Amino acid sequence: MNAISPPPALESPCIRLCRIDPSSGLCEGCGRTLAEIAGWLAMSAETRRAVMADLPRRLAGGGASA
C-alpha cells in the first residue's frame, strides 16, 4: 500500500498581526508589502527566501527594497 505524503509546509513570515503601515506600505507584523503577501503562494522558493532575508531590515525601519 502506497501512502501519499502531504506536501511540505510552505514557509511564511506571517505572525497573524496583519496591519499595513500607511507610510511604509509594509505589514507591521511580517514586513511584507501587499503585493508580496498576495503573491506569496505563486513565488518561487528562492524568491520567498530572498524576501524573508530582507524582512529584519524592513521591520527595523529600512523599508522595502526596490
Side-chain angles (χ1 to χ4, degrees):
M1 179 176 222
N2 291 337
I4 298 175
S5 299
L10 183 64
E11 192 172 9
S12 171
C14 182
I15 62 167
R16 310 261 190 261
L17 175 67
C18 305
R19 187 170 50 221
I20 301 299
D21 178 89
S23 62
S24 69
L26 299 175
C27 174
E28 292 178 6
C30 69
R32 293 180 292 172
T33 65
L34 279 175
E36 289 167 341
I37 293 167
W40 196 251
L41 295 177
M43 287 180 186
S44 69
E46 181 180 329
T47 301
R48 286 193 303 270
R49 283 191 299 269
V51 170
M52 288 178 48
D54 192 43
L55 296 179
R57 183 192 62 78
R58 294 179 188 188
L59 290 169
S65 296

